[in-house]
Amino acid sequence: MADLRYAYYPGCASQEITKEANEVTRKVAERLGIELHDMPGANCCGAGLITDYNYELSLALNARIFAQAEGMGMDIMTICSTCLMVMSTANRDLKKDPELLRRINALLSDAGLTYRGTVKVKQLLWVLAQDYGLERLKKAVTRPLDRLNIAPFYGCHSLRPSSALGFDDPQRPWSLEAVIKTLGAQAVEYTGKTKCCGFQADLVALDTAVGMTGMRLLSAKESSATCMVTPCPFCHINLDNYQGMAEKKISKKIDVPVFHLSQIVGLAMGMTPVELGLSRHLVSAEKILTGY
Amino acid sequence: MVIHDVIVIGAGLAGMRAAVEAAREGLNVAVVSKVHPVRSHSVAAQGGINAALKETDSWEDHMFDTVKGSDYLADEDAVEVLCREAPADIMELERMGAVFSRDDAGKIAQRPFGGAGYPRTCYLADRTGHGLIHVMYEQLAKKNVYLYDEWHVVEIVVEDKSVRGVIALELLTGKLHRLHSKAVVIATGGYGRLFNTTTNALSSTGDGMALALRAGAPLMDMEFVQFHPTTLKRTGILMTEGARGEGGYLINKDGERFMKRYAPKTLELASRDVISRAEQREIEEGRGVDGCVLLDLRHLGEEKINERLPQIRELSINFAGKDPVREPVPVKPGAHYSMGGIWTDVDGKTPVSGLFAAGECACLSVHGANRLGGNSLLETIVFGRRAGSAAAGFSFENKLRVFPEDALKDTARGIALILNRAEGESASGILKEARDAVEGHCWVFRTEAGLKQGLLEIRKLKERYEGVCVTDRGDGFNTELVTALEAGYILELSEVMLLSALNRTESRGSHFRTDFPERNDREWLKHTLIYKKDGGYDIRYRDVVMTKFKPEERKY
Amino acid sequence: MKTKFKIRRSDPLKAEPYWQAYSVEVKEGMTVLDALLKISEGDDPTLSFRRSCRSAICGSCALTINGFPKLACSTQILPIAKETREVTVEPLSNHQVIKDLVVDFTPFWNKMEKVTPFLLPADETRKEWVIKKEDEKAIDRAQKCIMCGSCNAVCNSLDVDPNFIGPAASAKAWRFVGDVREGHRKKRLERLSGEHGVWDCVRCVHCTEYCPKDAAPLEAIERLRAKAIEEGVVENPGAKHVLSLVDSIKRVGRLDEAAMTFKTLGFLRSLGMIPFGLKMEIHGKLPHPIIFLAIEGMKEVKKIYSAVEKRRKKG
Ligand SMILES: Cc1cc2nc3c(=O)[nH]c(=O)nc-3n(C[C@H](O)[C@H](O)[C@H](O)COP(=O)(O)OP(=O)(O)OC[C@H]3O[C@@H](n4cnc5c(N)ncnc54)[C@H](O)[C@@H]3O)c2cc1C
Ligand code: SF4
Ligand code: SF4
Ligand code: FES
């Protein structure tokens, strides 16, 4: 099997608020033998907000990131679903429409850059489920998570718009469940798994946002999940950091610890809670992890 | 009881255009429609709408093409109004908000259409009807027209040959309501659903024509129904001419391009009625495939199909489960457009005082024996506007007259009879037989024996309909009751159509009598008019209005 | 092939909705609407559902089919039956049920009315407008909408806030705001930027994913937001938030959380909108607002910004 190398794009959130996701991803990748190459010059993808300002600016900023990866001769791997969605959408539009690509390259020309349209954008979940492969992942498991009932939380941007992402099935997704099962845990089926965590409205319509967060967590809990995993740091912010507020909003106790994808992989590979940076989470996972 | 100045029945393009015009005069206008306006059949029109906009074109040329296309059965005074007023109406649609597709200079683009000597069809991408219906619905909101949406009109109330309003069934609650008005405009669309195989929406059941007939207005030229040669098997969904325009073949079960035997020069691009008859002959003579012929696009290749005919591909996959890139698509003729309808003058006036009609349910006639593509949307706009304005004028000049005491009671009794009948036949069973009879005997080819047989069958079904019953006895959204009511209209119109077709002993435009295969101008340059009379029908005739052109052979 | 249909039924007079199963003989080419018609014309005439064009253009027949909104008339049965063995049919979610598969569309139409759904031309007297192809294209996608309600049915914001203007009406709004002939653009944008307006969308992408006509309501929302900012309608948390990221990337190439939150929240605070809990939490988890490290190659980013600015000025 060819060695796996990616231009690594953790995304802004995982460099600050959810730094644990970035740190654990690096450790896990190293152990699995996935090469992650830093992109010190990569800018923010815009998180969709730049699209709300000027679509061409959004395309140009993303094309700059792609041009860098093209220069490195690698595809991009991110650990943020929103980055994945924003970059994939931009990439789809640029690849589909040569005239648009030309217009955007004209904007890059002052900066001495061009994007040729050859890069692919992936996220850790896809890399594990496909490029690395589940069988190989299974071999890396030293401590199966057989006591965990995990609710897979896809949220929005790892599935939609499928016309840009084109990996998993937005109606009946399988990849997160497949990884969970490979790690030896049970994947819980529940209604909220492909819905929105609320993050994008946190600073604009907080009530709406936390209401959503609460509904997702509650539906997982009611389907007997003991914890949740998400491939997206933004979802994590709402599901974990805002869980307290969500409990107040829906007047129900939830108390469901939420993991980053990399953390459950690390856990199954024998990493300790300290190595996994779990102390940075607001909802403690201690009670479900006794013995790990 | 609610009172309005003008009530419009039907919220397709014609109905909404009429309402908007009447409201413009400051009147209290209401639209009653059994489906929400944007769900009306008009939404499905794809191709476009005709108008002589360019300097190198003229309304006279448009008029000539229309009259010739009609096989000289159109009334030239009406066609003149249609073609003269078309350009201003198109511009008006743009001011309302429509964005017709543009040419490179940013002006309204026009494309060629069958039977026209000049590219004069304006379009909104491949969804002209959809674009226009949404614009007209916007205008309805702007003009504050009152909308009774999902209200099914069950009776047009007339006393002393003057209209008093309508009675409608509110679907949501099952309640009957009286709507009192000075004028009523009928705009309920066509009767494609008299047939099994039709391009028309499920709601095109001809209600308004049957109601008008019962209210004393005559129906005209009901024997004329245009058949479209390429409709999907089973659903009748339209595959546009574009498929053949881009080079698609029609083949029979032996893989033969049979059109070379029927129209050696024009082949698949011959006129609609010629191709429909050729297909029907192939099918009847055993060279069809499961009641169809095949539309073969495979030789065009995936790339060209995706680029030029994406909609055709999508429709075939979604509605017939066939991918034209890989396999031929079964198609057959389907009933497409109702030339016949409620007889009106150029202002939409019927012989009943205060009763107007416009759109596909009306017959002036601008289409005669065969309609040209792009002229029917135009008719809805031009004559919708004129009928709206005339109805408004009528309301200004006349006082509100009494709504007859017993009208509601009588109607309610009729409906209660259906709802309360303990046992009987289902409407859908009767409908199915009726459509089989009509399709079997009043299709692309017609004969005296067949038409008589058809009449016999329909009359028997009409008797059986007296015992129709429903299993759904609920009030809210009782779609079964609606089907039962529609079955009544369909039986009535089927009989009228068969009668008209039986009497017309010639072949003209869409009406083809195997036993009288020639056009007969000496005896048949006239319109069929049917009145309801003492439980039966009274058939009369009216000469075609000719002002400019002399009938010649229709050859393309 | 015999296929099992499980249909969610309700009768306003009976208390609880219930599932009813039917077995339908499915032939090649049959759609879900065909099956429903077959059931109502044979087995069970009491089953209610809306239909009209049966060709995916009138918007009557959007239903929840195997869990997601689809047009019954353009959904082939065989491919889904092969995958899931049975077909479940329910009314659209986020809508009140009237009977069986029929839902109340009144709120849907009311939302449409809220966006003043007609053109208000800048010049009422102009006879013919020259409209460039790109102007036509700008609103072409939004105009494909058939008002089927699928997007509103899956909209995550609407689910928690029924007053949210929603994706369908937003697409409609963009159809006018984006029209070169429109004369009241700014007024419209001010209203759309208000409470329950376009900034309440959480970008869950459900609307665009499930729209059967590729009308891309989310794209319309993004364009409305961008146009609002362009027209100077920025005194609201959403626009402030966007502007602060635009500024942050321009300065350091990435999201400077401390500065950004400060800006957006500063604005919210001035409106008295941040609850106490959030304040605490944000303070607890934010990095110290020390000097934020810029990415490498900031010169390039700045050049891109100015190139975009230049193009925008040129129009
Ligand atoms: C597939 C297809 C494509 C076409 N393409 C073209 C084209 O490209 N160009 C062209 O010129 N023409 C085209 N036509 C023809 C054209 O679309 C129609 O002739 C035209 O739209 C009819 O409009 P209308 O307003 O008269 O009626 P409709 O649009 O049929 O509206 C009828 C209205 O009446 C209401 N109604 C009916 N009965 C009742 C009742 N009992 N109570 C209350 N309301 C009732 C309905 O709810 C509806 O609102 C096409 C037709 C088809 C089938
Ligand atoms: S993207 Fe926005 S408008 Fe669309 S469904 Fe999600 S929240 Fe609703
Ligand atoms: S935007 Fe799409 S999903 Fe929403 S109502 Fe319109 S057509 Fe339906
Ligand atoms: S019946 Fe019109 S969209 Fe399905």
Side-chain angles (χ1 to χ4, degrees):
Chain A
M1 206 174 305
D3 279 335
L4 298 170
R5 308 158 66 222
Y6 299 94
Y8 178 50
Y9 187 91
C12 299
S14 300
Q15 296 180 61
E16 285 298 337
I17 300 191
T18 56
K19 359 173 137 66
E20 67 280 5
N22 180 19
E23 285 158 8
V24 178
T25 301
R26 288 177 187 278
K27 288 180 205 158
V28 166
E30 195 183 323
R31 291 217 207 166
L32 292 174
I34 299 172
E35 279 180 37
L36 299 182
H37 295 261
D38 283 331
M39 305 180 75
N43 48 268
C44 168
C45 71
L49 300 188
I50 303 300
T51 328
D52 293 345
Y53 175 71
N54 181 314
Y55 187 49
E56 295 214 331
L57 178 61
S58 166
L59 288 176
L61 288 172
N62 280 283
R64 178 172 177 271
I65 306 172
F66 303 154
Q68 287 173 11
E70 220 163 38
M72 296 162 75
M74 296 173 204
D75 288 338
I76 294 171
M77 185 191 96
T78 173
I79 53 169
C80 171
S81 301
T82 297
C83 297
L84 174 79
M85 183 278 282
V86 172
M87 290 197 279
S88 304
T89 311
N91 206 18
R92 172 197 65 191
D93 292 354
L94 292 170
K95 284 181 175 179
K96 184 171 76 180
D97 182 351
E99 169 56 23
L100 185 66
L101 183 61
R102 201 192 52 72
R103 272 179 71 86
I104 297 304
N105 273 329
L107 293 173
L108 298 186
S109 65
D110 275 356
L113 299 167
T114 9
Y115 175 47
R116 297 196 312 276
T118 61
V119 168
K120 284 194 196 119
V121 183
K122 301 175 175 187
Q123 71 166 338
L124 175 64
L125 174 60
W126 304 358
V127 166
L128 292 175
Q130 195 176 55
D131 296 8
Y132 191 77
L134 295 169
E135 274 174 37
R136 217 162 138 198
L137 183 62
K138 192 168 192 146
K139 290 194 194 118
V141 173
T142 56
R143 181 170 58 184
L145 308 178
D146 47 13
R147 276 181 292 124
L148 295 187
N149 275 343
I150 308 182
F153 186 78
Y154 289 90
C156 299
H157 297 161
S158 62
L159 294 173
R160 291 175 299 270
S162 56
S163 65
L165 301 173
F167 178 76
D168 213 333
D169 176 351
Q171 295 180 23
R172 268 168 283 279
W174 55 270
S175 55
L176 205 43
E177 282 87 342
V179 170
I180 290 171
K181 285 182 194 149
T182 306
L183 301 178
Q186 288 80 42
V188 172
E189 190 55 47
Y190 66 110
T191 56
K193 78 177 179 188
T194 64
K195 294 189 176 164
C196 179
C197 68
F199 176 82
Q200 290 254 351
D202 280 357
L203 295 179
V204 179
L206 185 69
D207 233 33
T208 301
V210 213
M212 281 183 209
T213 312
M215 279 154 62
R216 307 307 166 241
L217 286 160
L218 195 64
S219 85
K221 191 185 168 87
E222 285 173 349
S223 301
S224 70
T226 49
C227 61
M228 188 177 254
V229 65
T230 172
C232 177
F234 286 131
C235 297
H236 193 271
I237 291 173
N238 270 48
L239 296 167
D240 177 58
N241 296 354
Y242 287 13
Q243 196 172 115
M245 258 191 288
E247 286 177 331
K248 268 187 220 124
K249 164 96 185 164
I250 60 172
S251 322
K252 282 212 170 95
K253 188 84 192 136
I254 300 173
D255 197 20
V256 170
V258 184
F259 298 109
H260 298 288
L261 175 61
S262 53
Q263 286 172 329
I264 59 163
V265 179
L267 193 63
M269 289 164 67
M271 288 165 68
T272 65
V274 177
E275 283 177 289
L276 296 173
L278 291 180
S279 64
R280 289 185 52 87
H281 296 188
L282 265 71
V283 181
S284 164
E286 220 169 308
K287 45 194 179 312
I288 63 161
L289 290 188
T290 39
Y292 281 108
Chain B
M1 178 162 31
V2 206
I3 298 175
H4 297 282
D5 291 315
V6 177
I7 289 174
V8 179
I9 316 173
L13 277 175
M16 287 201 282
R17 185 66 192 85
V20 166
E21 195 61 24
R24 197 172 269 177
E25 320 255 353
L27 293 175
N28 167 353
V29 181
V31 171
V32 192
S33 177
K34 68 176 177 181
V35 299
H36 184 275
V38 305
R39 322 276 190 230
S40 295
H41 172 59
S42 293
V43 76
Q46 301 165 350
I49 176 166
N50 298 338
L53 294 179
K54 300 258 160 59
E55 270 163 27
T56 43
D57 195 5
S58 72
W59 67 262
E60 288 93 342
D61 289 353
H62 183 187
M63 179 174 169
F64 174 74
D65 289 342
T66 303
V67 172
K68 179 178 169 203
S70 81
D71 224 352
Y72 297 92
L73 194 70
D75 290 311
E76 293 183 24
D77 55 342
V79 180
E80 178 167 340
V81 171
L82 180 81
C83 300
R84 243 183 207 277
E85 298 185 357
D89 269 311
I90 297 288
M91 291 307 162
E92 167 102 87
L93 288 171
E94 280 245 325
R95 276 198 299 280
M96 287 175 171
V99 192
F100 285 102
S101 295
R102 299 281 143 169
D103 63 15
D104 290 332
K107 297 217 160 207
I108 296 174
Q110 291 185 289
R111 63 179 165 211
F113 232 47
Y118 192 93
R120 69 168 73 89
T121 305
C122 314
Y123 55 95
L124 287 100
D126 56 359
R127 44 193 152 82
T128 310
H130 168 266
L132 295 182
I133 203 116
H134 283 270
V135 165
M136 213 51 81
Y137 176 51
E138 291 161 9
Q139 294 302 304
L140 217 55
K142 188 174 179 185
K143 293 277 182 297
N144 277 319
V145 170
Y146 201 89
L147 177 65
Y148 297 94
D149 122 50
E150 295 185 331
W151 284 41
H152 189 113
V153 173
V154 292
E155 187 161 330
I156 298 169
V157 181
V158 171
E159 200 171 64
D160 298 334
K161 295 204 168 141
S162 105
V163 80
R164 307 300 166 92
V166 304
I167 295 174
L169 175 77
E170 181 186 13
L171 252 95
L172 181 66
T173 60
K175 282 206 180 76
L176 282 176
H177 298 270
R178 292 178 295 177
L179 302 174
H180 191 178
S181 69
K182 294 181 189 168
V184 169
V185 181
I186 312 174
T188 48
Y191 49 89
R193 288 280 154 190
L194 301 197
F195 301 86
N196 283 319
T197 314
T198 171
T199 61
N200 286 200
L202 294 159
S203 49
S204 299
T205 44
D207 309 8
M209 300 182 202
L211 296 175
L213 188 67
R214 291 173 193 174
L219 300 184
M220 186 161 101
D221 293 345
M222 293 293 285
E223 62 272 41
F224 293 102
V225 174
Q226 183 174 75
F227 297 94
H228 197 286
T230 46
T231 77
L232 287 181
K233 177 182 161 184
R234 221 175 34 76
T235 54
I237 287 170
L238 180 76
M239 302 288 268
T240 60
E241 233 116 271
R244 282 170 289 128
E246 292 295 338
Y249 298 154
L250 287 169
I251 56 177
N252 58 21
K253 84 170 197 297
D254 309 318
E256 179 203 10
R257 279 180 76 185
F258 56 84
M259 281 313 295
K260 65 177 189 278
R261 281 186 277 115
Y262 300 89
K265 281 212 198 95
T266 44
L267 295 166
E268 282 87 356
L269 298 177
S271 68
R272 286 180 188 177
D273 48 344
V274 172
I275 304 181
S276 292
R277 287 196 282 271
E279 289 177 355
Q280 193 62 31
R281 184 132 287 152
E282 290 300 298
I283 295 165
E284 282 174 12
E285 290 176 2
R287 291 187 295 278
V289 180
D290 200 10
C292 290
V293 296
L294 300 171
L295 175 65
D296 192 354
L297 303 177
R298 287 173 299 181
H299 58 284
L300 300 178
E302 179 158 5
E303 204 173 310
K304 186 161 179 191
I305 292 177
N306 282 346
E307 193 194 305
R308 298 291 189 79
L309 302 166
Q311 247 228 327
I312 295 276
R313 184 172 185 195
E314 203 183 301
L315 287 173
S316 313
I317 294 176
N318 290 344
F319 298 101
K322 299 265 183 209
D323 184 349
V325 167
R326 274 170 267 289
E327 51 196 332
V329 184
V331 295
K332 61 188 220 176
H336 182 50
Y337 184 81
S338 318
M339 267 80 72
I342 305 159
W343 177 34
T344 74
D345 70 2
V346 290
D347 291 316
K349 243 195 335 238
T350 73
V352 176
S353 165
L355 185 63
F356 301 79
E360 193 167 338
C361 73
C363 185
L364 297 123
S365 148
V366 289
H367 308 301
N370 177 49
R371 160 199 81 121
L372 286 194
N375 267 356
S376 42
L377 286 182
L378 180 60
E379 179 193 15
T380 65
I381 299 298
V382 171
F383 293 104
R385 170 176 55 73
R386 291 180 69 102
S389 159
F394 183 91
S395 306
F396 281 124
E397 285 157 17
N398 291 277
K399 284 209 188 74
L400 189 71
R401 301 183 64 180
V402 194
F403 198 96
E405 276 294 321
D406 298 337
L408 183 68
K409 254 188 262 153
D410 293 346
T411 311
R413 202 175 304 124
I415 289 181
L417 218 56
I418 300 181
L419 274 176
N420 298 333
R421 201 167 276 137
E423 55 183 42
E425 273 194 80
S426 81
S428 39
I430 293 181
L431 263 179
K432 190 172 175 313
E433 287 185 46
R435 287 173 175 149
D436 286 346
V438 166
E439 194 150 318
H441 304 298
C442 201
W443 193 235
V444 173
F445 295 117
R446 300 162 175 185
T447 63
E448 182 180 332
L451 292 165
K452 280 190 170 149
Q453 176 63 25
L455 262 178
L456 207 73
E457 288 172 23
I458 290 293
R459 283 178 179 150
K460 275 197 198 131
L461 286 165
K462 262 181 115 174
E463 275 166 31
R464 278 163 56 191
Y465 178 76
E466 297 298 314
V468 76
C469 97
V470 293
T471 39
D472 190 348
R473 304 281 157 91
D475 292 329
F477 232 89
N478 189 334
T479 36
E480 193 188 3
L481 175 63
V482 172
T483 306
L485 295 170
E486 289 172 350
Y489 312 139
I490 286 176
L491 286 169
E492 178 114 45
L493 296 183
S494 297
E495 185 172 3
V496 170
M497 179 174 72
L498 282 155
L499 259 180
S500 311
L502 178 63
N503 273 21
R504 187 174 284 272
T505 49
E506 65 155 353
S507 291
R508 183 183 297 271
S510 68
H511 172 71
F512 193 91
R513 288 281 300 257
T514 332
D515 40 1
F516 298 93
E518 300 298 329
R519 191 174 89 187
N520 178 350
D521 286 341
R522 221 163 30 92
E523 287 172 70
W524 284 107
L525 268 178
K526 54 189 181 191
H527 300 288
T528 312
L529 282 177
I530 293 209
Y531 293 78
K532 197 157 177 137
K533 196 181 170 193
D534 317 324
Y537 299 102
D538 184 11
I539 308 185
R540 297 183 210 164
Y541 289 93
R542 204 192 107 227
D543 284 340
V544 172
V545 180
M546 280 185 278
T547 55
K548 279 194 156 71
F549 309 113
K550 259 209 151 59
E552 40 184 85
E553 198 189 341
R554 195 171 135 254
K555 242 190 185 161
Y556 291 104
Chain C
M1 187 173 108
K2 280 260 181 238
T3 303
K4 186 172 160 198
F5 276 76
K6 262 178 63 188
I7 299 182
R8 188 77 170 161
R9 302 201 57 183
S10 32
D11 183 330
L13 298 177
K14 291 188 192 127
E16 285 294 306
Y18 57 100
W19 289 100
Q20 188 161 350
Y22 302 91
S23 166
V24 180
E25 179 66 35
V26 173
K27 295 206 191 85
E28 191 191 358
M30 250 174 89
T31 64
V32 172
L33 182 67
D34 291 330
L36 294 176
L37 285 167
K38 210 164 163 185
I39 292 169
S40 75
E41 280 164 13
D43 290 5
D44 190 349
T46 66
L47 180 68
S48 295
F49 51 95
R50 287 197 179 94
R51 69 278 193 163
S52 180
C53 72
R54 57 84 180 91
S55 59
I57 190 72
C58 78
S60 298
C61 69
L63 295 170
T64 307
I65 298 171
N66 279 5
F68 293 89
K70 295 194 174 69
L71 296 179
C73 70
S74 65
T75 303
Q76 286 282 311
I77 301 168
L78 286 183
I80 52 172
K82 271 184 198 135
E83 206 176 296
T84 56
R85 322 259 351 218
E86 63 176 25
V87 182
T88 63
V89 185
E90 301 164 79
L92 283 183
S93 40
N94 280 355
H95 289 76
Q96 200 86 42
V97 178
I98 293 175
K99 181 183 174 221
D100 297 341
L101 301 173
V102 178
V103 296
D104 184 6
F105 252 67
T106 317
F108 183 94
W109 303 122
N110 288 346
K111 285 183 197 303
M112 286 293 162
E113 289 207 353
K114 280 219 174 88
V115 303
T116 318
F118 39 84
L119 191 71
L120 294 165
D123 177 358
E124 297 263 10
T125 56
R126 177 108 55 117
K127 225 185 129 212
E128 187 180 357
W129 289 77
V130 170
I131 299 177
K132 288 187 288 211
K133 283 218 164 117
E134 61 262 32
D135 297 332
E136 195 191 327
K137 211 174 139 199
I139 53 171
D140 185 60
R141 251 182 130 180
Q143 282 203 2
K144 288 187 192 167
C145 171
I146 57 171
M147 307 210 168
C148 68
S150 294
C151 54
N152 282 17
V154 281
C155 174
N156 281 219
S157 283
L158 211 50
D159 184 21
V160 280
D161 173 16
N163 291 320
F164 171 46
I165 192 70
S170 300
K172 189 72 173 169
W174 168 249
R175 182 255 162 278
F176 300 110
V177 169
D179 193 312
V180 283
R181 303 167 298 180
E182 172 63 31
H184 293 70
R185 203 163 281 130
K186 188 158 180 189
K187 233 190 223 120
R188 287 180 188 270
L189 289 166
E190 277 163 357
R191 282 181 59 190
L192 289 162
S193 298
E195 233 188 316
H196 310 298
V198 288
W199 292 102
D200 282 18
C201 152
V202 292
R203 210 188 302 273
C204 70
V205 207
H206 276 89
C207 51
T208 293
E209 180 74 33
Y210 294 107
C211 170
K213 300 307 279 187
D214 189 35
L218 175 56
E219 184 185 291
I221 290 173
E222 288 170 345
R223 289 188 181 210
L224 284 168
R225 289 169 167 180
K227 201 74 183 171
I229 293 177
E230 196 183 310
E231 297 265 341
V233 184
V234 292
E235 290 308 311
N236 58 72
K240 286 277 183 241
H241 192 48
V242 166
L243 287 174
S244 57
L245 183 63
V246 170
D247 176 67
S248 170
I249 298 178
K250 194 171 176 181
R251 274 186 303 108
V252 292
R254 55 176 164 157
L255 178 134
D256 176 352
E257 269 156 24
M260 217 179 133
T261 321
F262 183 74
K263 275 197 184 143
T264 316
L265 288 186
F267 178 75
L268 285 174
R269 188 176 292 127
S270 70
L271 296 178
M273 272 172 64
I274 347 176
F276 184 67
L278 175 64
K279 241 187 288 183
M280 295 312 290
E281 271 199 316
I282 279 177
H283 281 284
K285 72 171 202 240
L286 273 186
H288 292 296
I290 42 160
I291 305 154
F292 200 77
L293 280 186
I295 59 160
E296 287 176 15
M298 270 311 296
K299 262 207 197 110
E300 291 171 13
V301 173
K302 296 213 153 101
K303 282 194 172 137
I304 291 174
Y305 265 74
S306 58
V308 170
E309 204 45 48
K310 229 190 279 162
R311 184 177 287 175
R312 178 184 255 184
K313 281 212 183 99
K314 265 195 355 216

